Amino acid sequence: MEEQIFFHRTGARTGTALGPVAGLRPALFAHFDDLAKLRYDYPLVLLAADGGEPAIRPLSGIVDELLHEIAAQGIAGERLRRNVLRIERTIRTRLASGERGTLGQLWSIASDELEPLGGEPFAQDASQARGALRRDGVLLGCDADVASRFSTHVWRAVQERKAGAMRRTIDTLALRLADLVRADFLRSGAGRHAATLRAGVGTRHQDDFDFALMATLLSAPSGGSALSESRRRRIEATVGALQAQRFFEAEVPFVFAFDRVEDALAAYRDRLRPMADLVRAIAVAELELRGAYDEAKHDEYFAQLDGRGLAPEDRALFPDYLVRLGPGATGADGRARIIEGLTTEAPLKILFVTDDVFGRGAQLATTAMGLGEAFVLQSSAAWLYRAADRVRAAFEFRGPALISVFVPARGTDAALPSYLVAAAATESRAFPTFSYDPSAGADWAHRFALGDDPQPERTWPEHDLAYADPAMQRVGARVAFTLADLALCDTRQSDDLARIANGSGTEHLRPVAAWLEAPPDGTVPFVYAVDADAALHRVIVDLPLAQRTRRCAEAWRRLRELDELKRERIAAAAPASAPSLVPVAVAAASEAAPAAGEATPDAPASDEPYIETPRCTTCNECTGVNPRMFAYNENKQAFIKDPSAGTFKDLVDAAESCQVAIIHPGKPRDLNEPGLEDLLKRAEAFR
Amino acid sequence: MTMQVARDAGPAPAMTKTVTRLDEHIVEIISDSGEGAQRCGQAFAGIAARSGNGIWTVEIIPAEIQPPARSVAGASGNRIRLASKPVANGGDDVDLVVAFNEQVLIGRVLAGELRAGATILLEDMWRAHRDPSIAASYATTVDDLRARGFRVLEIPMETECRKLVPDPRRGKNMFVLGVLCSIYSFGLDVAREQVALTFGKKDPKVIATNVKLLEAGFEWAEAKCDFKYEIPTMAVAESQVVMTGNAALALGVLASGMEICAMYPITPATSASHYLSEIFERVGGIVHQAEDEIAACTFAIGASYAGKCAVTITSGPGFSLKQEAIGLAVMAEIPLVVVNVQRGGPSTGQPTKPEQGDLLAALFGTHGDAPKVVIATSGIEDCFYTMITARKIAETFNTVVIVLSDASLATAQQPFPRPVFSEEWLAPPVDQSAVAPGAKPYDWDATTGVFRRFIPGQPGGMHTVTGLAHDRDSHVAYDHESNEEGLRFRSLKIAALQRTLRCPAVHGEETGDLLVLGWGSTKGAIEEAVDRLRAEGRRVSSLHLRFIQPMPSGIGEIIKGFSRVMTVESNWSDPTDHPLIDADNRRYSALAMLLRSRYLVDVDCWTDVSGRPIKPASVAEALRRKLGEAPR
Amino acid sequence: MTMNVTQCLLQSGDAPREISDYQVGVPRWCNGCGDNAILTAMQRLCRDNDLAPERTVFVSGIGCSSRLPHYMNTYGFHGLHGRSLPIAEGVKMSRPDLKVFVSTGDGDCLSIGAAHWIHALRYNMDLTVLLHDNRIYGLTKKQASPTSPIGTKSNTTPKGSYLAALNPLSVTLGVANVSFVAQVVDWIPELLYEVIAAGYRHKGLSFIRIIQRCPEFMPGLFDPWMQDPQRTLLLRHPNGVVPSAELSRTYRNQVDHDPRDIDAARRIASSEDPIPVGVLYWDPDVPCYEDTRHAGALRRPEDVRRGLEAELDKFTIRPEAHG
């Protein structure tokens, strides 16, 4: 017992009561011996981009769809289903044993392998299923290079969609500019030369005309060239620049994938000038094609336009730079470079792969979020597929992005399948899935989002552990999965853990999760582990690891708070329900309107003549009566411009001739106007 | 002029047969429609052309879409004229005919299509037909034909094919192809290539089966036919293409750079639009099937107005419907190409039969004075180049160009040198440059009437075109000066074009006893007839017109060199031998009427409206008659 | 515009256009003719959307309505009686970059051009079509039109017309691919403008029937409606138009009608009195013919060359095949 406490405090093993943890795995792994039997995310199929949408699907998903499509109910269908699933399992096993290739290739290999065992019906099923398998792509297992291949696939699809659109724009502009020059040539005298005219008719008709004479006759309306020499030169230079670009589906394309931040930055800086040249070319082309290029206004602007002068919108049209960094880059200066890369204007998409959740690299994503304007995504290899949309978002994001992925290293994982270790890293809160998207809103609440980590409401996910005690009685326990449990998966952490030899006292032990919650009481934290024979062991956690576990729990709680904050905000800003479709008739309208008879509030006093201008239909009646008195406003609707510019009679005549009766003559100004009695009577109608 | 050659006939049981060497032969293959005689004929023509013969094919189309089987009027198939030199028409009478049943044959015999003593290859299955009446009809017909002096050869087509395929009715056409290849001494290799080409789209099995049938036919003939023909071939120096007139039209539209064709289905023009649709789906461009002929024409005018000269393709009835719209294009001076693949008229007339009845409608069909350009295509190759020239003129002179083709060119096939594409053919890009301040949309040039159009998108060029009389600003103008100015310049444009036209060359001597004038599809037949008469020592020449409106200068001078002048056309003119018809009331054919009015010369005419492509022999005969008459 | 730079450079400088920039010539319509109101609404629309005059085309047929293009300082095509739609379709097909408007009348569109009317709806090209419906032939001096109320006395029907009037709305709403149908009256300028603007915003063929006064030949025909606002039924909806509070004071007879509902639209369309005014039907998802036909697609000379050579290959007899 003293030994236990001593180890916990000092990490030093004394005596025989404590043993090494080599060969032990977290107790919860007991169920997962052979992953190839399980149908989980992996292997993934990297499907060829479909309409620019990067497509990645789990093999199991593809197979299920396939079966849904071809396997009917009934015996034959069932046989087909089984055979296809056998093929799927064989593919998994092959991959696990290091086989590589496309789904199609491994499908054939697998069915060849199974055929001798399966016989005639199998061969038939296999080929039928193979035929129904329409889309193909490289198979991707959860291996050391999984993060790199996964991200590269998505990145490439996003880039290709961008590039395709831009290339079409560039081609169109180049052609339209060429058209512009040709149209000018044909308009010019040269375009009417006999030779040109001759070449323009059907070959067998070239002797039917006197083209010299035609040229003379047509010379008159030729109008000459409209292109100034400077403009022609500018257009030709622009076409040249468009064709010389190396960014989009070019003959000699630039490279955009790198292994070092500094190389990517250097490349970006070198390309600022070519970028500016292309932006200039496109802009000039667009101006020229609208005939809007004004040398006085634009020459100087374009002369001094360089890479730094580019608007972010324009820079965003160009390809992004993918930087793939391995665990090697975790050194202090490595991290410093990453941060530098994320803070420049260069659109670097940095993929950072770590194989050590206990090292500094694990904090990189959290640090990067602090930068504020970079897109950040963290996920373990096991969660990648579930985070696929966020990976795409990171590449579509306008600006730098960091994708930090945990991929267990071979050799350090106590020979556990790396998918299992990666999943455990997420499970243990050591490497939770989350993203930070600056384009999603102004504040953290909108920008930050947790991934679908297990049992988010808890500090640690909990599971039932059932085992048999020395008396062979079934014992059930609810155990949390913590960072300390994860440590069992990483031989680099072995020194912080010690196995209790069978028969030693366990009364001072407390599960690490509970231990962290409880006040210090002299107990010792432990985790459950199983050995190769699935025998249960208790493993003591030393103080440093216990502390790391505590910090891990705190870090997780902070992330969770951010995420809850988000939920509250979104709830607060719930959209109003759609407008109802019930007839409103007068009812609804009358809210806005006073009851009939009431004078409309905005109507002027009826002494002054006025026109309900908004109702004027521009019929020219009043302006016909007296153009000085009546005029049209900016919407070509009539108003009384100058009441004194005419007689009361003009007003009354206009009011009577107005089609929509919107002219109100008011009271006469000149009480001596002849025929006033009669006019006033007529005006009554328009009060 | 045949020579006897003895030679071994290859694989089949060796038999010595005489090979007759010929300058030319006319072959017909006819069946109920759907039995594949058409395809067989086309393949045979292809083989001949590949082998280096001059060819001209004429489709034989039943009036109805699906006539009853074994009906006299139901003949469907192909006529192929093979020659040792290039030919430009379908020729005269048939030398050899292959018939899948005796009824369709009767139709051709009664129509007088067969030369006396012609060879007939006839499917013999009917002789043993379970329906006694059919068997009887067959037997009596065969006897009758023999009595009329035809050489009838009965061929067990179906019996032989049944050995190779389950359904011999489909496939006997390839057997026949084999027979013909043997008879006309064509190599099997070329034939196999052609079959592969014919069934190119289908899977290899189909091709293999048909090749088997072909070979079977070939061997059968080698063994069973005691005669063989050989028509000397020409070395094909430059690359050649073989296609129908309508296919050439469609390709011409593509080559001219026109991107929009608006049409409404009508025979016989439609096949051009069918093919053009296919082409545009591949290359880009739009064939718009409008709701009617008027919409098709106005749609094309709208497209042209907006900057891309468009074409509308139609036949007689549709052409009449377009006339008002054509007038609009003339009045607003919007370039437009209208193709009229003429057919028998008036009204619905003879949809599948050739006629040159629309010439005057093309010139004068629009109300008011509507000067426009009218071009006639005179051959398959010409159909291609005419579209290019038509678009070029339409856009250069802001005018309507009407292209006249007809049913005989539409479906006829002839080899011609493969065109060499030139970018200069293509329509100019849409001009979007700013218009000089103060420039007027109708700034007619005083000497030519030509002006530069303002196209939507050109800053400063805003104006409203109108079909109403208008002034240089395109403002509606009712004053007589503006109206007369417009009329004058629209007419002047055509004169300007006319000045640049060269007079076509005379075929034959510059002077003589008879000058024959023609236009359009009759060129081949007329010139062949003229050559025959010249070979007889007659002093006959011919002059064929491509431009009918405007008509090039110099024709009057040429006419002066001849003591007799007549036109040969395929439209109506009153026969002079009728008691009611005299010089005062005789209605002349279209071109004759135009020539008489322009040159004040007594131009006679001979016309044929039989609904068949005009034949050299009948033309020659007409010319002989004319030569018999007193000079003018 | 691809480049943000281009936009900035284009916006810098030029003063905003005014109605006068779209005016040309002096309208030759009778005083009090509804065409004046329509012309004004169109000029306002152009100004408010800052349409480049050189990239805007007004197409018309023949009739009083069809003079409208002559008074717009844009490109215009005053075509043939009944044929404005096919002409406009041709323009749009060859130049999808142009804004195309169509002015047509009740005789032009519903009688001599009826076939084109039906099929234009089917093509659903991006056109704004104004049906100036004054229910009479004006230019030819008073003959009954398809929309003349039965019993209309005219020069061809001195005893009154014999046939019931055709209802353009219900016919239009029966045609496949119809995507925007609205009705408005010329004497409520606010709605006239708003409805036309809604039609302009819609991508596809917007068919707008404008009930229009002809003071010369149909004097007083619409007085009952002009005098009694209750006889005008305003269709209000965020998907259509929402009348201003000011207008609602006068026109209180309103109904919430979602133009996405075609059955409701058909019911409303059949109402002659009250006159329904507003957007009856709207479906933004009907494909445009010019898009499905890829009008204006890139077509380089080398494309034509390649295409032609490929076709010629099919007809070519190779000389080596000779022998």
Side-chain angles (χ1 to χ4, degrees), chain B residues 333-386:
Chain B
E333 302 189 62
I334 296 167
L336 176 70
V337 177
V338 182
V339 178
N340 177 358
V341 183
Q342 300 165 94
R343 67 192 225 186
S347 186
T348 311
Q350 300 194 94
T352 62
K353 309 281 191 206
E355 195 177 294
Q356 298 180 307
D358 302 348
L359 180 58
L360 297 180
L363 266 69
F364 309 119
T366 312
H367 65 277
D369 182 58
K372 55 186 93 72
V373 177
V374 179
I375 316 180
T377 68
S378 58
I380 308 298
E381 181 183 39
D382 205 34
C383 287
F384 176 81
Y385 291 112
T386 301

Coordinates of all heavy atoms in Angstrom, one line a residue, chain B residues 333-386:
Chain B
E333 N -33.7 46.3 -93.5 CA -32.3 46.0 -93.9 C -31.5 45.2 -92.9 O -30.5 45.6 -92.5 CB -31.6 47.3 -94.4 CG -32.4 48.0 -95.5 CD -31.7 49.2 -96.1 OE1 -30.6 48.9 -96.7 OE2 -32.2 50.3 -96.0
I334 N -32.1 44.1 -92.5 CA -31.5 43.1 -91.6 C -31.1 41.9 -92.4 O -31.8 41.3 -93.2 CB -32.5 42.7 -90.5 CG1 -32.9 43.9 -89.7 CG2 -31.9 41.6 -89.7 CD1 -34.1 43.6 -88.8
P335 N -29.8 41.5 -92.3 CA -29.3 40.4 -93.0 C -30.1 39.1 -92.7 O -30.4 38.9 -91.5 CB -27.8 40.2 -92.6 CG -27.6 41.1 -91.4 CD -28.7 42.1 -91.4
L336 N -30.4 38.3 -93.7 CA -31.1 37.1 -93.4 C -30.9 36.1 -94.6 O -30.9 36.5 -95.7 CB -32.6 37.4 -93.3 CG -33.6 36.2 -93.1 CD1 -33.4 35.6 -91.7 CD2 -35.0 36.6 -93.3
V337 N -30.7 34.8 -94.2 CA -30.6 33.8 -95.3 C -31.8 32.9 -95.2 O -32.1 32.4 -94.1 CB -29.3 33.0 -95.1 CG1 -29.2 31.9 -96.2 CG2 -28.1 33.9 -95.2
V338 N -32.5 32.8 -96.3 CA -33.7 31.9 -96.4 C -33.4 30.9 -97.4 O -33.1 31.2 -98.6 CB -34.9 32.7 -96.8 CG1 -36.2 31.8 -96.8 CG2 -35.2 33.9 -95.9
V339 N -33.5 29.6 -97.0 CA -33.3 28.5 -97.9 C -34.7 27.9 -98.3 O -35.5 27.6 -97.4 CB -32.4 27.4 -97.3 CG1 -32.2 26.2 -98.3 CG2 -31.1 28.0 -96.9
N340 N -34.9 27.8 -99.6 CA -36.2 27.2 -100.0 C -35.8 25.9 -100.8 O -35.4 26.1 -102.0 CB -37.0 28.2 -100.8 CG -38.3 27.5 -101.4 OD1 -38.5 26.4 -101.2 ND2 -39.1 28.4 -102.1
V341 N -36.0 24.8 -100.2 CA -35.8 23.5 -101.0 C -37.1 23.2 -101.7 O -38.1 22.7 -101.1 CB -35.4 22.4 -100.0 CG1 -35.1 21.1 -100.8 CG2 -34.2 22.7 -99.2
Q342 N -37.2 23.6 -103.0 CA -38.5 23.6 -103.7 C -39.0 22.2 -103.9 O -38.3 21.3 -103.9 CB -38.3 24.3 -105.0 CG -37.8 25.7 -105.0 CD -37.3 26.2 -106.4 OE1 -38.1 26.7 -107.1 NE2 -36.1 25.8 -106.7
R343 N -40.4 22.2 -103.9 CA -41.1 20.9 -104.2 C -42.2 21.3 -105.1 O -42.4 22.4 -105.4 CB -41.6 20.4 -102.9 CG -42.7 21.2 -102.2 CD -43.0 20.8 -100.8 NE -44.4 20.7 -100.6 CZ -44.9 20.4 -99.3 NH1 -44.1 20.2 -98.3 NH2 -46.2 20.4 -99.2
G344 N -43.0 20.2 -105.5 CA -44.1 20.5 -106.4 C -45.2 21.3 -105.8 O -45.5 21.1 -104.6
G345 N -45.7 22.3 -106.5 CA -46.7 23.2 -106.0 C -47.8 23.4 -107.0 O -47.7 22.8 -108.1
P346 N -48.8 24.2 -106.8 CA -49.0 25.1 -105.6 C -49.6 24.4 -104.4 O -49.7 23.1 -104.5 CB -49.9 26.2 -106.1 CG -50.8 25.4 -107.1 CD -49.9 24.4 -107.8
S347 N -49.9 25.1 -103.4 CA -50.5 24.5 -102.2 C -49.6 23.3 -101.7 O -48.4 23.4 -101.8 CB -51.9 24.1 -102.5 OG -52.5 23.6 -101.3
T348 N -50.2 22.3 -101.2 CA -49.4 21.2 -100.7 C -48.7 20.5 -101.8 O -47.7 19.9 -101.6 CB -50.3 20.2 -99.8 OG1 -51.1 21.0 -98.9 CG2 -49.5 19.2 -99.1
G349 N -49.3 20.5 -103.0 CA -48.7 20.0 -104.2 C -48.1 18.6 -104.1 O -48.7 17.7 -103.6
Q350 N -46.8 18.5 -104.4 CA -46.2 17.2 -104.4 C -45.0 17.3 -103.4 O -43.9 17.6 -103.9 CB -45.7 16.8 -105.8 CG -46.8 16.7 -106.8 CD -46.3 15.9 -108.0 OE1 -46.4 14.7 -108.2 NE2 -45.6 16.7 -108.9
P351 N -45.2 17.0 -102.2 CA -44.2 17.3 -101.1 C -42.8 16.6 -101.4 O -41.8 17.2 -101.1 CB -44.8 16.7 -99.9 CG -46.3 16.8 -100.1 CD -46.5 16.5 -101.6
T352 N -42.8 15.4 -102.0 CA -41.5 14.7 -102.2 C -41.0 14.9 -103.6 O -39.9 14.3 -103.9 CB -41.7 13.2 -101.9 OG1 -42.6 12.7 -102.9 CG2 -42.3 13.0 -100.6
K353 N -41.6 15.6 -104.5 CA -41.2 15.7 -105.9 C -40.5 17.0 -106.2 O -40.9 18.0 -105.7 CB -42.4 15.5 -106.8 CG -43.2 14.2 -106.5 CD -42.6 13.0 -107.0 CE -43.6 11.8 -106.9 NZ -43.0 10.5 -106.7
P354 N -39.5 16.9 -107.0 CA -38.8 18.1 -107.4 C -39.5 19.0 -108.4 O -40.3 18.5 -109.2 CB -37.5 17.6 -108.1 CG -37.9 16.3 -108.6 CD -38.9 15.7 -107.6
E355 N -39.4 20.3 -108.2 CA -39.9 21.3 -109.2 C -39.2 22.6 -108.9 O -38.7 22.8 -107.8 CB -41.4 21.4 -108.9 CG -42.1 22.1 -110.1 CD -43.7 22.2 -109.9 OE1 -44.3 21.2 -109.9 OE2 -44.1 23.4 -109.7
Q356 N -39.1 23.4 -109.9 CA -38.5 24.8 -109.8 C -39.6 25.8 -109.9 O -39.4 26.8 -110.6 CB -37.5 25.0 -110.9 CG -36.3 24.0 -110.8 CD -35.3 24.2 -112.0 OE1 -35.7 24.3 -113.1 NE2 -34.0 24.4 -111.6
G357 N -40.6 25.7 -109.1 CA -41.8 26.5 -109.3 C -41.8 27.8 -108.5 O -42.7 28.6 -108.6
D358 N -40.8 28.0 -107.6 CA -40.8 29.1 -106.7 C -40.0 30.3 -107.0 O -39.8 31.2 -106.2 CB -40.5 28.7 -105.3 CG -41.4 27.5 -104.8 OD1 -42.4 27.3 -105.5 OD2 -41.0 26.9 -103.8
L359 N -39.4 30.3 -108.3 CA -38.5 31.4 -108.6 C -39.1 32.8 -108.5 O -38.6 33.7 -107.9 CB -37.9 31.2 -110.0 CG -36.9 32.2 -110.5 CD1 -35.7 32.3 -109.5 CD2 -36.4 31.9 -111.9
L360 N -40.3 32.9 -109.1 CA -40.9 34.2 -109.1 C -41.4 34.6 -107.8 O -41.4 35.8 -107.4 CB -42.1 34.2 -110.2 CG -41.6 34.0 -111.6 CD1 -42.8 34.1 -112.6 CD2 -40.6 35.1 -112.0
A361 N -41.9 33.6 -107.0 CA -42.3 33.9 -105.6 C -41.1 34.4 -104.8 O -41.2 35.3 -104.0 CB -42.8 32.6 -104.9
A362 N -39.9 33.9 -105.1 CA -38.7 34.3 -104.4 C -38.4 35.8 -104.8 O -38.0 36.6 -103.9 CB -37.5 33.4 -104.8
L363 N -38.6 36.1 -106.1 CA -38.2 37.5 -106.5 C -39.3 38.5 -106.1 O -39.1 39.6 -105.7 CB -38.1 37.5 -108.0 CG -36.6 37.3 -108.5 CD1 -36.1 35.9 -108.3 CD2 -36.5 37.6 -110.0
F364 N -40.6 38.0 -106.3 CA -41.7 39.0 -106.2 C -42.7 38.7 -105.2 O -43.8 39.3 -105.1 CB -42.3 39.2 -107.6 CG -41.4 39.4 -108.7 CD1 -41.2 38.5 -109.8 CD2 -40.6 40.5 -108.7 CE1 -40.3 38.8 -110.8 CE2 -39.7 40.8 -109.7 CZ -39.5 39.9 -110.7
G365 N -42.5 37.6 -104.4 CA -43.6 37.1 -103.5 C -44.0 38.1 -102.4 O -45.1 38.0 -101.9
T366 N -43.1 39.0 -102.1 CA -43.4 39.9 -101.0 C -44.1 41.1 -101.5 O -43.8 41.6 -102.6 CB -42.1 40.4 -100.4 OG1 -41.2 39.3 -100.1 CG2 -42.3 41.1 -99.1
H367 N -45.1 41.6 -100.8 CA -45.9 42.7 -101.2 C -45.0 44.0 -101.3 O -44.0 44.0 -100.5 CB -47.1 43.0 -100.4 CG -46.8 43.3 -99.0 ND1 -46.5 42.4 -98.0 CD2 -46.7 44.6 -98.4 CE1 -46.2 43.0 -96.9 NE2 -46.3 44.3 -97.1
G368 N -45.3 44.9 -102.1 CA -44.5 46.1 -102.2 C -43.2 45.8 -102.9 O -43.0 44.7 -103.4
D369 N -42.4 46.8 -103.1 CA -41.1 46.6 -103.7 C -40.1 46.1 -102.7 O -39.7 46.8 -101.8 CB -40.5 47.8 -104.4 CG -39.2 47.5 -105.1 OD1 -39.2 46.7 -106.0 OD2 -38.2 48.1 -104.7
A370 N -39.7 44.8 -102.8 CA -38.8 44.2 -101.8 C -37.6 43.6 -102.4 O -37.5 42.4 -102.6 CB -39.6 43.2 -101.0
P371 N -36.7 44.4 -102.9 CA -35.5 43.9 -103.6 C -34.7 43.0 -102.7 O -34.4 43.4 -101.5 CB -34.7 45.1 -104.0 CG -35.2 46.2 -103.1 CD -36.6 45.9 -102.7
K372 N -34.3 41.9 -103.2 CA -33.4 40.9 -102.4 C -32.6 40.1 -103.3 O -32.7 40.2 -104.5 CB -34.4 40.0 -101.6 CG -35.4 39.3 -102.4 CD -36.4 38.5 -101.5 CE -37.6 39.2 -101.2 NZ -38.6 39.4 -102.3
V373 N -31.7 39.4 -102.8 CA -30.8 38.6 -103.6 C -31.3 37.1 -103.7 O -31.8 36.6 -102.7 CB -29.4 38.5 -103.0 CG1 -28.4 37.6 -103.7 CG2 -28.8 40.0 -102.9
V374 N -31.3 36.6 -104.9 CA -31.8 35.2 -105.1 C -30.7 34.4 -105.8 O -30.3 34.7 -106.9 CB -33.1 35.2 -105.9 CG1 -33.5 33.7 -106.1 CG2 -34.2 36.0 -105.2
I375 N -30.2 33.3 -105.1 CA -29.2 32.5 -105.6 C -29.8 31.1 -105.8 O -30.5 30.6 -104.9 CB -28.0 32.4 -104.7 CG1 -27.6 33.7 -104.1 CG2 -26.8 31.7 -105.4 CD1 -26.4 33.7 -103.2
A376 N -29.4 30.4 -106.9 CA -29.8 29.0 -107.1 C -28.6 28.1 -107.0 O -27.6 28.4 -107.6 CB -30.5 28.9 -108.4
T377 N -28.8 27.0 -106.2 CA -27.7 26.0 -106.2 C -27.8 25.0 -107.3 O -28.9 24.6 -107.6 CB -27.7 25.3 -104.8 OG1 -28.8 24.4 -104.8 CG2 -27.7 26.2 -103.7
S378 N -26.7 24.7 -107.9 CA -26.8 23.9 -109.2 C -26.2 22.5 -109.0 O -26.1 21.8 -110.0 CB -26.0 24.6 -110.3 OG -24.7 24.8 -109.8
G379 N -25.9 22.2 -107.8 CA -25.3 20.8 -107.6 C -25.1 20.6 -106.1 O -25.3 21.4 -105.3
I380 N -24.6 19.3 -105.8 CA -24.4 19.0 -104.4 C -23.3 19.8 -103.8 O -23.6 20.5 -102.8 CB -24.0 17.5 -104.3 CG1 -25.0 16.6 -105.1 CG2 -23.9 17.1 -102.8 CD1 -26.4 16.6 -104.6
E381 N -22.2 19.9 -104.4 CA -21.1 20.7 -103.9 C -21.5 22.1 -103.8 O -21.2 22.8 -102.8 CB -19.9 20.6 -104.9 CG -18.7 21.4 -104.4 CD -17.6 21.3 -105.5 OE1 -17.8 21.4 -106.7 OE2 -16.4 21.2 -105.0
D382 N -22.3 22.6 -104.7 CA -22.7 24.0 -104.7 C -23.6 24.3 -103.5 O -23.6 25.4 -103.0 CB -23.5 24.3 -106.0 CG -23.4 25.8 -106.3 OD1 -22.4 26.4 -106.0 OD2 -24.4 26.3 -106.9
C383 N -24.4 23.3 -103.0 CA -25.2 23.5 -101.8 C -24.3 23.9 -100.7 O -24.7 24.8 -99.9 CB -25.9 22.2 -101.5 SG -27.3 21.9 -102.6
F384 N -23.1 23.3 -100.6 CA -22.2 23.6 -99.5 C -21.7 25.1 -99.6 O -21.9 25.9 -98.7 CB -21.0 22.7 -99.5 CG -20.0 22.9 -98.5 CD1 -20.2 22.5 -97.1 CD2 -18.8 23.6 -98.8 CE1 -19.2 22.8 -96.2 CE2 -17.9 23.9 -97.8 CZ -18.0 23.5 -96.5
Y385 N -21.1 25.4 -100.8 CA -20.5 26.7 -100.9 C -21.5 27.8 -100.9 O -21.2 29.0 -100.5 CB -19.6 26.7 -102.1 CG -18.3 25.9 -101.9 CD1 -18.2 24.7 -102.7 CD2 -17.4 26.2 -101.0 CE1 -17.0 23.9 -102.5 CE2 -16.3 25.4 -100.8 CZ -16.1 24.3 -101.5 OH -15.0 23.5 -101.3
T386 N -22.7 27.6 -101.5 CA -23.7 28.6 -101.6 C -24.0 29.2 -100.2 O -24.2 30.4 -100.1 CB -24.9 28.1 -102.3 OG1 -24.6 27.6 -103.6 CG2 -26.0 29.2 -102.4

